[in-house]
Structure formats: C-alpha cells, structure tokens
Amino acid sequence: MSTTVEAMGQRVGAMSAAELSSRPDSRATVGDVTVANPRMVCREVDVWYGSKQAIKGVSLDIGKNEVVSMIGPSGCGKSTFLRCLNRMNDTIDGCRVEGSIQLDGQDIYDKGLDPVPLRAQVGMVFQKPNPFPKSIYENVAYGPRIHGLTNNKAELDALVEASLRKAGLWNEVKDRLDQPGTGLSGGQQQRLCIARTIAVSPEVILMDEPCSALDPIATAIVEELIDELRANYSIAIVTHSMQQAARVSQRTAYFHMGDLIEVGETNEIFTNPRHKLTEDYITGRFG
Amino acid sequence: MNKPSSAGAPPRRAIDIVNASLKRRYARERRFRLIGLTAVVMGLLFVALLFADIIGKGHTAFQQTYIQLPLTFDAGLIDPKGTRDPETLRSANYNALIRAALRDVYPDVTERRDIRALGSMFSVGAPSQLRDRILANPDLIGTTQEVWLLADDDIDMLIKGYIDRDLPESERRVKDRTVEWVERLEAEGRIEKRFNTIFFTHGTSREPELAGIAGALMGTFYTLVLTLLLSFPIGVGAAVYLEEFAPRNRWTDLIEVNINNLAAVPSVIFGLLGLAVFIGLFGVPRSTPLVASLVLSLMTLPIMIIASRAALKSVPPSIREAALGVGASPLQTQFHHVLPLAMPGMLTGAIIGMAHALGETAPLLMIGMIAFIVDIPSGFTDAATVLPVQIFLWADSPERAFVERTSAAIMVLLAFLILMNLAAVLLRRRFERRW
Ligand SMILES: Nc1ncnc2c1ncn2[C@@H]1O[C@H](COP(=O)(O)OP(=O)(O)O)[C@@H](O)[C@H]1O
Ligand SMILES: [Mg+2]
C-alpha cells in the first residue's frame, strides 16, 4: 500500500503549481505524507459517523520527535482524525473507521489489539482542560497507578514530581498537591492534564486544540512546553491558530471537508502553499 | 444610521420605539411575576392548611388520660396459696382487684348496670397494667397503693373535649352519671393526661387507647430496608449498563421505553402482579415485609433507574474521556470516576424512591398487608403491616379516638418523609460543588 501512496505523492509532486491552482477541486493530497522515521503510519483512513463520511482516504505519517500540526476550517475533521489515532472514536456510537493505522508497525485497529494499553502509549490532551475532580497528586498518579508503573509510594511520588516538572507546573503546585486539580487556573489545569498524560510515558501525544481555552500567556507557556516535549515524544496537535501551528510544528497538514489537502514542512506550507484551498485558508480568504 | 429622510418628517430612532414599548413590557413582566407569586402562595397555603389540620387533630393523641385509684393488691385474689409462682401471678383475676377498689371508693353505687358503667371507665388494658406491675415487683402483694390506670377511650375523649358535655344524654356516648363521676375525679385531682408511650410501643388494637404504631413502624422499617437492598444495586447496575455499555439499538430503545412506561404504571397493578407471581407462583408468605419489599422494589426500580441514568448523564463526558485517555478500562472509568461523581444523584434518587415506597398503600392492600396484626414483627417473614396501611385502617375505624390517632400516625409518616427529603437535599448540597 505504501508504494502506491509514494507513487501518488510523486505524481502530485510532479504537477506544476499552475496546474494545481487551475484545478482547485482536486482532493488528492499535495505534498509528501511520509517521513523518514515514522512512529505512526496512517493509510487511506476513512471515518464515518453513521452514513456521513467525516474523513476521506487520509494518509499521513507522524515521525519520531516531531510535532505535526493539523489545521483547517472547523468541521473539516481534524479532531475526528486525531481521535482515530488512539481509538478514542470507539466510544462514539455509530462511528466507523476504515483503512490502516499503525503504531511502530502494529495495526492499532487489529481485531486482537486492546485499546486500553494503546491509550497508555498514545496519550491525549483535550480541548477543554479536564482534570479529575480529585487532588493534583491523584490526577497525575492515577495513570501510573492503574498501569502499575511504580512499585511503591516513593517511586510514585518521584514520578508525579517528574511529570509535573516536565509539564512546567511543579513550582506552582508543589505546596498544594493535595488540593483539587479543578481549583487551578485554566492554563494550570491544561498543564496538569499534560502532566497526567506524560506520567504514563506515552510514545505519542495527541493534542486537540490544547490552547483554545487559554489566555495568551498560558498559551505561550504551553507552546514552549510542546517544544520541549518534542525531544522525547511524537506530537500531533490540532489547532485553529495558524500562528501557533507555525510556532510549534515542523510539519503541517491542511484538512478540508474530510480531505487531507496538503502536507509539508511548516515553513513551506505557510510561505509557499501549493494547493489553491490551502492558500485561500492561510491568506484568510476562507474559513 | 440617522440620516434625515427625504420626506422631511423627522426620522424615528430605534430607541424611541424601544422606549414606547417599554412600559407595556414591564407591565407584562409584573403581571407574570404576580401570577407566579400567587401560585406559590396558594401552594404554600394549602400545605399550611394540611399541616394545621393534621397537627390540630393529631397532637392530642400524644397524650393519654389516666385515672388514679387507691387499690389493694389483695393476696387472696392474686396469690391465694402464697407461692409467688409467676404462672399463678400471670393468670390471676386483676379485674376483680379493680372492681373491689371501685366498691370501696363508690360504696353508694350498687346497681349492676352502674357498677358495670363504673368499671368501663377503665381500659380493658388496665388489668394487664396491674399484672405487669405485680410481675415486675411481687412484693406489692398485700399492700395498698395509689395506682394510675389507663382510662377508656370514651373517658379520654371526654377529658380532651371531643365529647360535648352539654349535649342531651341520648346523643352522647358517655352517660350523665359517668360524666358526674369524671367531674368528681377531676375535682379530686385523680385524672391526669400523660405522655402516650403506648402509641409508640404497642402494635395496633381494637381498643384505641391500646393501639400504637410500633408494629407498623417496624413493618415499614423491614420493608424499606429490604426494598433498598433489592432495588438500589439492581437499579444502579441497570442504569450503568444502559447508559454506559449497552449499544444503542432497537432492543435498548424498547427497554428504555418500557422502563419509562413502568414508572407510570398505577401501583395497584404492581400489587396484583405481586399477588399473582410472588404469592401465587413462588409461594412467598403473604402480608410479610418480604413480599411487600419485592412488590415495592418493582415499583421503585424504574424511578431508581431513571434517576441513576440522569445522574450518570450529568457527569461530564470529558471526565470519561480523561480516564479513557490515560488508559483506564471502561470498567475502571466507571468505578473510579463516573460512579463516585454520579453517586449523590443516585442516592438522591434512591431516597426519593424510598419516600415513594414509604407512602405507598394500594399495592400492599393487594398482598395482604391489610390484615389485622397486633404483634410487632421481628423479621422479614413475620406478618406485618406498614404505616400508610395502618393509617388507612385507622381512618376506617368508627371510634372517635382513632381519628386523632390517624392524624398522629400521619404526622409520624410526614416526619419520616420530610426527614428523607431533607437527607436528599443535604446530600445534593454536600457533594454538588465538587466540580
Ligand atoms: N460524534 C459525532 N457524531 C456525528 N458527527 C460528528 C461527530 N463528531 C463530529 N462529527 C462531524 O464530523 C465532522 C468533523 O468534525 P470534527 O472532527 O469535530 O471537526 P474539527 O475538529 O475539524 O472542527 C463535522 O461535520 C462534524 O459535524
Ligand atoms: Mg475539533
């Protein structure tokens, strides 16, 4: 299957810019969807909600130690695609996923594969900060505890501290670990959720508009954090802010009505979009 | 926006139109508020009326009239052989003691009819009162004591003013000479109203002055405990399954519709079902807390399931996503996060369901709880009655004294209902501000 995609990529790559802009209705993906050392490999993914198709034949790789951002007008299927990557869509009635999605060569939609450990490997940070209505400590300790990642209280304490440190929250909360996580500010809550996610040592982190509920200062802190996390994790982030995509990501994917229109180096996409729809979107003529 | 129109007429600004209609809008608002206020006041008024009526009628039942009598515990009558054998003491004729005492106090009363009338001033329970005293303290035999004896319900009613002394004798339950005796006793300070402990310690009885709600209370207690134990786990389990795990399809839709319908089925039907299935088919003993709680569980189950599902629905989906997102299994998500958050709502539903069950009468009549049961039940399979059925039975009794007891029993029932609802409210308050 990967050979056909490469062939398709080459064919698209071979088209001239003039050819492309004269055919704005073409929905074949422009740009190279593959990376040299992929962590996740998605091929021809279709998603239906009931009879309505929300994702149409999307192929995309997520590489090691890179941040891939997904942009596009709202309702184009960014969240839907992201939620396929840790099988979060399983919880939605009537949602059907087809195609192949692999994590380190293993098909995650394989019949025998258990989504529970998968979600420990592919962590997720949601749009709205959603800490558990428990203490800050419990929020971070929950994941390691259910997976049995630590052997004793001291190890767990150390893991909680390390996770909070990585999320840049330790100094702010170290004196009140026993207070409810819901009592923190929005930005702190989101960083707590990030700490909760990295506490189970995932390999990939999915973020669905993690800053949309945050003020600019909190946003800046989270963006800095994402950049630091790249050293250890693969990150896929959905964002409605093109500036944010430009700041945090190495590669950008532009979605449009369920189609993946264009993929490329973030610099390239924002300075030199090849597809008419991408250009319209990033120049603000659309969406 | 405000360009002068070419016709020359000054343009009407939008704010002028708004101002013109403002008065009318406020008037409508005031009217609406007034209607709402009236409705609330009316509602409160009816509740106040109900409470005033019940308390007005029932508060006297918490007191009971006693008559003092100088009484000789004649050894010849109680224990002629002097053995102090409890069996002898128990079977002695204590009524004769009272008659002898009355002969001493009223030597001028000699006619048979009058003697009988004199004796009937006391409750038929008075002799057993004396027996209990002797059994507790046999040393009293041979002595003379001033004893307070339980008065008959007619005397009680006369003392409490429910029988009009000015009525002609033929229209009154208490004859003229009895009134005379009572007035003499009152003048001598030999009549007293005391707290009515019998009402709280005895089962029901044909004699109002000996009737209490203890039997019904225990019956209600056993029934409710078992109802809760049966319906809460099943209700919560069903709700969790339907809300969180069951696929949405034709079958679950059908189940959902039926649960909602079940909540609206008249309760008598559940009673008939209980009679046919539990008693007829499975042979569960009738008029016991066991069969009552089975029937009431059927009745409260839909309420419980609907309340529990509402509680589960009110848990934000983001909490489930958060738990699943760190790799919790669906069951862990439920038990660690969703259920603790839904529990206050579920408990509130349970308490409201229990309050329903507490006040339910009709289905219990069908399964024999209406039987006249004097003994206080001491288990789930003892014959018993419950509070609302007791009220129903007393309300049906012709004796005047049962009227106040009916109201008093209603007061107790209402007190329990208010307590339960209060618990539900407190529970909600206590846990609601968790997120
Ligand atoms: N749970 C759902 N059930 C049915 N349709 C859905 C559901 N979630 C999303 N959709 C539809 O799928 C499309 C893509 O949605 P989404 O992935 O949320 O878009 P985005 O995140 O890019 O704004 C939209 O048309 C939306 O209406
Ligand atoms: Mg979205």
Side-chain angles (χ1 to χ4, degrees):
Chain A
M1 180 182 272
S2 63
T3 51
T4 52
V5 171
E6 267 157 39
M8 197 160 61
Q10 275 156 15
R11 185 167 53 79
V12 171
M15 281 191 235
S16 70
E19 233 181 321
L20 275 170
S21 44
S22 66
R23 292 175 48 208
D25 55 326
S26 163
R27 296 296 163 89
T29 305
V30 178
D32 188 3
V33 300
T34 62
V35 293
N37 47 355
R39 185 116 241 184
M40 297 198 81
V41 177
C42 313
R43 288 295 174 267
E44 297 294 326
V45 175
D46 295 314
V47 182
W48 282 270
Y49 289 115
S51 58
K52 180 171 169 276
Q53 190 167 7
I55 292 290
K56 302 166 190 166
V58 169
S59 301
L60 184 65
D61 285 2
I62 297 165
K64 290 203 171 80
N65 302 351
E66 75 162 352
V67 179
V68 180
S69 63
M70 300 174 188
I71 58 170
S74 65
C76 67
K78 308 179 294 287
S79 301
T80 301
F81 182 68
L82 198 70
R83 293 164 59 93
C84 291
L85 302 180
N86 67 345
R87 290 188 57 175
M88 213 55 173
N89 281 336
D90 289 14
T91 61
I92 296 173
D93 272 321
C95 182
R96 194 154 50 84
V97 179
E98 280 177 13
S100 115
I101 301 176
Q102 297 183 340
L103 172 66
D104 295 329
Q106 161 80 47
D107 187 347
I108 65 169
Y109 278 89
D110 194 69
K111 275 232 159 23
L113 190 119
D114 185 358
V116 169
L118 169 74
R119 293 192 191 120
Q121 273 177 292
V122 183
M124 188 155 197
V125 177
F126 298 86
Q127 181 165 1
K128 205 171 134 262
N130 56 352
F132 299 129
K134 302 185 180 205
S135 72
I136 292 170
Y137 182 93
E138 278 306 314
N139 262 283
V140 183
Y142 181 68
R145 195 173 280 150
I146 57 171
H147 295 300
L149 297 187
T150 55
N151 295 318
N152 53 45
K153 180 85 169 66
E155 275 182 44
L156 188 59
D157 287 349
L159 180 55
V160 167
E161 177 176 345
S163 306
L164 284 168
R165 273 191 198 285
K166 274 192 222 161
L169 194 61
W170 176 251
N171 286 330
E172 289 159 67
V173 300
K174 64 177 177 221
D175 300 322
R176 46 170 173 153
L177 290 175
D178 55 344
Q179 283 177 27
T182 41
L184 297 171
S185 76
Q188 289 173 323
Q189 284 188 18
Q190 195 61 297
R191 278 181 284 150
L192 178 62
C193 293
I194 293 173
R196 179 178 68 190
T197 303
I198 56 190
V200 291
S201 317
E203 279 135 38
V204 181
I205 300 178
L206 312 174
M207 298 185 170
D208 191 352
E209 305 195 22
C211 300
S212 65
L214 305 188
D215 64 78
I217 294 172
T219 301
I221 297 174
V222 171
E223 283 180 6
E224 213 170 291
L225 176 62
I226 292 171
D227 206 45
E228 286 165 19
L229 291 176
R230 181 162 68 93
N232 300 309
Y233 308 95
S234 303
I235 296 173
I237 177 171
V238 168
T239 171
H240 61 259
S241 152
M242 282 176 278
Q243 289 83 351
Q244 183 169 62
R247 282 193 297 263
V248 301
S249 70
Q250 285 72 56
R251 283 199 314 144
T252 296
Y254 172 67
F255 285 75
H256 185 93
M257 290 176 71
D259 289 298
L260 177 54
I261 299 297
E262 187 167 346
V263 185
E265 298 290 323
T266 298
N267 290 340
E268 279 291 302
I269 294 272
F270 284 108
T271 53
N272 189 15
R274 287 155 68 191
H275 198 290
K276 181 82 166 58
L277 288 169
T278 319
E279 188 184 340
D280 285 352
Y281 183 70
I282 64 170
T283 53
R285 249 175 284 166
F286 184 92
Chain B
M1 186 178 97
N2 216 351
K3 277 187 211 142
S5 68
S6 51
R12 280 196 72 184
R13 297 191 311 156
I15 189 67
D16 293 333
I17 303 173
V18 171
N19 281 336
S21 68
L22 217 51
K23 223 173 110 185
R24 205 155 21 95
R25 272 157 59 184
Y26 283 150
R28 194 176 298 165
E29 226 155 279
R30 265 196 304 277
R31 222 162 21 220
F32 184 77
R33 225 172 334 175
L34 206 70
I35 292 171
L37 204 67
T38 321
V40 171
V41 168
M42 289 279 277
L44 286 179
L45 210 69
F46 279 120
V47 170
L49 216 65
L50 175 83
F51 274 74
D53 181 53
I54 289 170
I55 294 173
K57 275 189 194 147
H59 75 278
T60 48
F62 296 113
Q63 289 200 312
Q64 172 66 38
T65 305
Y66 284 77
I67 302 173
Q68 195 189 37
L69 204 61
L71 188 129
T72 308
F73 291 98
D74 186 351
L77 277 173
I78 303 172
D79 191 13
K81 295 202 193 87
T83 55
R84 295 289 191 268
D85 173 25
E87 206 41 57
T88 318
L89 298 184
R90 195 167 292 133
S91 56
N93 184 358
Y94 291 96
N95 214 1
L97 286 186
I98 298 175
R99 259 184 278 130
L102 285 172
R103 256 198 312 277
D104 294 344
V105 179
Y106 301 95
D108 49 327
V109 178
T110 49
E111 225 172 298
R112 260 182 82 83
R113 212 155 41 99
D114 288 346
I115 291 174
R116 180 154 336 126
L118 205 51
S120 68
M121 282 169 50
F122 297 90
S123 163
V124 295
S128 47
Q129 234 187 318
L130 290 176
R131 184 195 59 204
D132 292 346
R133 276 187 77 164
I134 288 298
L135 283 174
N137 183 11
D139 293 342
L140 286 175
I141 296 172
T143 65
T144 300
Q145 305 277 334
E146 292 285 348
V147 292
W148 288 96
L149 291 174
L150 193 58
D152 186 62
D153 60 311
D154 284 335
I155 307 300
D156 189 41
M157 289 296 102
L158 185 72
I159 294 295
K160 287 173 179 168
Y162 290 122
I163 294 179
D164 190 355
R165 298 180 195 197
D166 300 331
L167 237 49
E169 184 174 19
S170 56
E171 293 174 23
R172 197 169 352 104
R173 273 187 68 87
V174 184
K175 299 298 162 214
D176 277 346
R177 52 177 196 290
T178 311
V179 173
E180 244 170 69
W181 290 326
V182 167
E183 277 168 359
R184 215 181 95 197
L185 286 168
E186 272 182 309
E188 291 169 2
R190 289 181 173 278
I191 283 194
E192 206 172 275
K193 280 192 288 181
R194 299 185 169 182
F195 181 70
N196 189 359
T197 43
I198 288 174
F199 186 68
F200 295 99
T201 55
H202 279 216
T204 187
S205 166
R206 302 253 183 247
E207 306 298 327
E209 74 273 11
L210 292 176
I213 54 167
L217 269 183
M218 282 318 282
T220 291
F221 172 76
Y222 285 121
T223 304
L224 283 192
V225 165
L226 204 54
T227 305
L228 187 68
L229 288 181
L230 284 173
S231 61
F232 189 65
I234 298 177
V236 169
V240 169
Y241 176 72
L242 285 174
E243 196 59 40
E244 309 280 337
F245 293 102
R248 295 267 179 283
N249 59 29
R250 201 173 306 173
W251 292 111
T252 44
D253 282 350
L254 193 74
I255 291 173
E256 175 147 13
V257 168
N258 275 307
I259 287 172
N260 291 336
N261 281 341
L262 227 49
V265 167
S267 50
V268 190
I269 311 286
F270 287 108
L272 284 172
L273 183 101
L275 183 62
V277 176
F278 296 133
I279 296 176
L281 208 59
F282 297 137
V284 180
R286 60 165 52 224
S287 71
T288 54
L290 177 62
V291 68
S293 60
L294 286 172
V295 168
L296 290 178
S297 295
L298 285 185
M299 213 194 67
T300 47
L301 211 48
I303 302 174
M304 216 78 105
I305 294 176
I306 291 169
S308 299
R309 291 187 70 172
L312 288 170
K313 274 202 186 89
S314 75
V315 175
S318 63
I319 296 294
R320 293 182 185 82
E321 290 191 328
L324 291 173
V326 292
S329 70
L331 209 64
Q332 285 173 327
T333 305
Q334 287 304 314
F335 278 98
H336 296 166
H337 301 285
V338 179
L339 277 182
L341 292 175
M343 203 37 87
M346 289 176 166
L347 287 178
T348 308
I351 292 174
I352 289 169
M354 285 299 107
H356 246 246
L358 172 66
E360 199 52 70
T361 321
L364 302 183
L365 301 183
M366 300 273 110
I367 51 167
M369 301 299 273
I370 195 162
F372 182 80
I373 291 145
V374 178
D375 293 331
I376 297 173
S378 58
F380 294 111
T381 50
D382 284 356
T385 191
V386 291
L387 214 41
V389 175
Q390 188 67 76
I391 290 168
F392 174 80
L393 284 169
W394 282 352
D396 225 22
S397 301
E399 285 91 347
R400 180 64 186 75
F402 272 126
V403 174
E404 60 169 21
R405 277 169 176 73
T406 305
S407 293
I410 292 174
M411 279 160 73
V412 172
L413 184 66
L414 281 179
F416 276 108
L417 278 174
I418 290 171
L419 271 179
M420 285 169 93
N421 282 318
L422 209 65
V425 169
L426 286 180
L427 218 60
R428 238 185 341 236
R429 284 264 176 77
R430 170 79 180 71
F431 291 102
E432 209 161 43
R433 51 196 170 82
R434 282 253 305 258
W435 85 89

